[in-house]
Coordinates of all heavy atoms in Angstrom, one line a residue:
V1 N 109.7 109.4 -38.7 CA 109.9 109.3 -40.2 C 108.8 108.6 -40.8 O 108.2 109.1 -41.8 CB 111.3 108.6 -40.4 CG1 111.4 108.2 -41.9 CG2 112.4 109.4 -40.0
E2 N 108.3 107.5 -40.2 CA 107.2 106.7 -40.8 C 105.9 107.5 -40.8 O 105.1 107.5 -41.7 CB 107.0 105.4 -40.0 CG 106.0 104.5 -40.7 CD 105.9 103.1 -40.0 OE1 106.6 102.9 -39.0 OE2 105.1 102.3 -40.5
L3 N 105.7 108.3 -39.7 CA 104.5 109.1 -39.6 C 104.4 110.1 -40.8 O 103.4 110.3 -41.4 CB 104.5 110.0 -38.3 CG 103.7 109.4 -37.1 CD1 104.0 110.3 -35.9 CD2 102.3 109.3 -37.4
I4 N 105.5 110.7 -41.1 CA 105.6 111.7 -42.2 C 105.4 111.0 -43.5 O 104.7 111.4 -44.4 CB 106.9 112.5 -42.2 CG1 106.9 113.5 -40.9 CG2 107.1 113.3 -43.5 CD1 108.2 114.2 -40.7
Q5 N 106.1 109.9 -43.7 CA 106.1 109.2 -45.0 C 104.7 108.6 -45.3 O 104.3 108.5 -46.5 CB 107.1 108.1 -45.1 CG 108.5 108.7 -45.1 CD 109.6 107.6 -45.1 OE1 109.4 106.5 -44.5 NE2 110.7 107.9 -45.8
L6 N 104.0 108.2 -44.3 CA 102.7 107.6 -44.5 C 101.5 108.5 -44.2 O 100.3 108.1 -44.3 CB 102.6 106.3 -43.6 CG 103.6 105.2 -43.9 CD1 103.4 104.1 -42.9 CD2 103.5 104.8 -45.3
A7 N 101.7 109.7 -43.9 CA 100.6 110.7 -43.6 C 99.8 110.8 -44.8 O 100.3 111.0 -45.9 CB 101.2 112.0 -43.1
P8 N 98.5 110.8 -44.6 CA 97.6 111.0 -45.8 C 97.7 112.5 -46.2 O 98.0 113.4 -45.5 CB 96.2 110.7 -45.2 CG 96.3 111.0 -43.7 CD 97.7 110.6 -43.4
S9 N 97.3 112.7 -47.5 CA 97.3 114.1 -48.0 C 96.3 114.9 -47.2 O 95.3 114.4 -46.8 CB 97.0 114.1 -49.5 OG 98.0 113.5 -50.2
R10 N 96.6 116.1 -47.0 CA 95.7 117.0 -46.3 C 95.7 118.4 -47.1 O 96.8 119.0 -47.2 CB 96.2 117.2 -44.9 CG 95.3 118.0 -44.0 CD 95.7 117.9 -42.6 NE 94.9 118.9 -41.8 CZ 95.2 119.2 -40.6 NH1 96.2 118.7 -39.9 NH2 94.4 120.1 -40.0
W11 N 94.6 118.7 -47.6 CA 94.5 119.9 -48.5 C 94.0 121.1 -47.8 O 93.1 121.1 -47.0 CB 93.5 119.5 -49.6 CG 93.9 118.4 -50.4 CD1 93.6 117.0 -50.1 CD2 94.8 118.4 -51.5 NE1 94.3 116.2 -51.0 CE2 95.0 117.0 -51.9 CE3 95.5 119.4 -52.2 CZ2 95.9 116.7 -52.9 CZ3 96.3 119.0 -53.2 CH2 96.5 117.7 -53.6
M12 N 94.7 122.2 -48.0 CA 94.4 123.6 -47.6 C 93.9 123.6 -46.2 O 92.8 123.8 -45.8 CB 93.3 124.1 -48.6 CG 93.9 124.3 -50.0 SD 92.9 125.0 -51.2 CE 91.6 125.8 -50.5
F13 N 94.9 123.5 -45.3 CA 94.7 123.6 -43.8 C 95.5 124.7 -43.2 O 96.4 125.3 -43.9 CB 94.9 122.2 -43.1 CG 96.4 121.8 -43.1 CD1 97.2 122.0 -42.0 CD2 96.9 121.1 -44.2 CE1 98.5 121.6 -42.0 CE2 98.3 120.7 -44.2 CZ 99.0 121.0 -43.1
Q14 N 95.3 124.9 -42.0 CA 96.1 126.0 -41.3 C 96.6 125.4 -40.0 O 96.0 124.7 -39.3 CB 95.1 127.2 -41.0 CG 95.8 128.4 -40.7 CD 94.9 129.6 -40.7 OE1 93.8 129.5 -40.3 NE2 95.3 130.7 -41.3
D15 N 97.9 125.8 -39.7 CA 98.5 125.5 -38.4 C 99.6 126.6 -38.2 O 100.5 126.7 -39.0 CB 99.2 124.1 -38.5 CG 99.9 123.8 -37.2 OD1 99.2 123.3 -36.3 OD2 101.1 124.1 -37.0
D16 N 99.4 127.3 -37.1 CA 100.3 128.5 -36.9 C 101.7 128.2 -36.8 O 102.6 128.8 -37.4 CB 99.8 129.3 -35.7 CG 98.4 129.9 -35.9 OD1 98.0 130.2 -37.0 OD2 97.8 130.2 -34.9
S17 N 102.1 127.1 -36.0 CA 103.5 126.8 -35.9 C 104.1 126.3 -37.2 O 105.2 126.8 -37.5 CB 103.7 125.7 -34.8 OG 103.2 126.1 -33.6
L18 N 103.5 125.5 -37.9 CA 104.0 124.9 -39.1 C 104.1 126.1 -40.2 O 105.0 126.2 -40.9 CB 103.1 123.8 -39.6 CG 103.5 123.0 -40.8 CD1 104.9 122.4 -40.6 CD2 102.5 121.9 -41.1
C19 N 103.1 126.9 -40.2 CA 103.1 128.1 -41.2 C 104.2 129.0 -40.9 O 104.9 129.5 -41.8 CB 101.8 128.8 -41.1 SG 101.6 130.1 -42.3
S20 N 104.5 129.3 -39.6 CA 105.6 130.2 -39.2 C 106.9 129.6 -39.7 O 107.8 130.3 -40.2 CB 105.6 130.4 -37.7 OG 104.5 131.2 -37.3
C21 N 107.1 128.4 -39.4 CA 108.4 127.7 -39.8 C 108.6 127.7 -41.3 O 109.6 128.0 -41.8 CB 108.5 126.3 -39.3 SG 108.6 126.1 -37.5
A22 N 107.5 127.4 -42.0 CA 107.5 127.3 -43.5 C 107.8 128.7 -44.0 O 108.6 128.9 -45.0 CB 106.2 126.7 -44.0
Q23 N 107.2 129.7 -43.5 CA 107.4 131.1 -44.0 C 108.8 131.5 -43.8 O 109.5 132.1 -44.7 CB 106.4 132.1 -43.3 CG 106.4 133.5 -43.9 CD 105.9 133.5 -45.3 OE1 104.8 133.0 -45.6 NE2 106.7 134.1 -46.2
L24 N 109.3 131.3 -42.5 CA 110.7 131.7 -42.2 C 111.7 131.0 -43.1 O 112.6 131.6 -43.7 CB 111.0 131.5 -40.8 CG 110.4 132.4 -39.8 CD1 110.6 131.9 -38.3 CD2 111.0 133.8 -39.9
L25 N 111.5 129.7 -43.3 CA 112.4 128.9 -44.1 C 112.3 129.3 -45.6 O 113.4 129.3 -46.3 CB 112.2 127.4 -43.9 CG 113.2 126.4 -44.4 CD1 114.6 126.7 -43.8 CD2 112.8 125.0 -44.0
S26 N 111.1 129.5 -46.1 CA 111.0 129.9 -47.5 C 111.5 131.3 -47.8 O 111.9 131.6 -48.9 CB 109.6 129.8 -48.0 OG 108.7 130.7 -47.3

């Protein structure tokens, strides 16, 4: 939880697993 809350902003990147989950959920 702390990792997510304190993660620095990251602009326009690519990650296949995260993208797949985001696409399916959206």
Side-chain angles (χ1 to χ4, degrees):
V1 168
E2 187 175 3
L3 266 172
I4 291 172
Q5 290 176 329
L6 300 177
S9 293
R10 187 168 171 192
W11 299 91
M12 296 181 19
F13 68 96
Q14 198 168 42
D15 180 85
D16 292 336
S17 296
L18 189 54
C19 184
S20 294
C21 292
Q23 187 67 50
L24 286 169
L25 193 55
S26 65

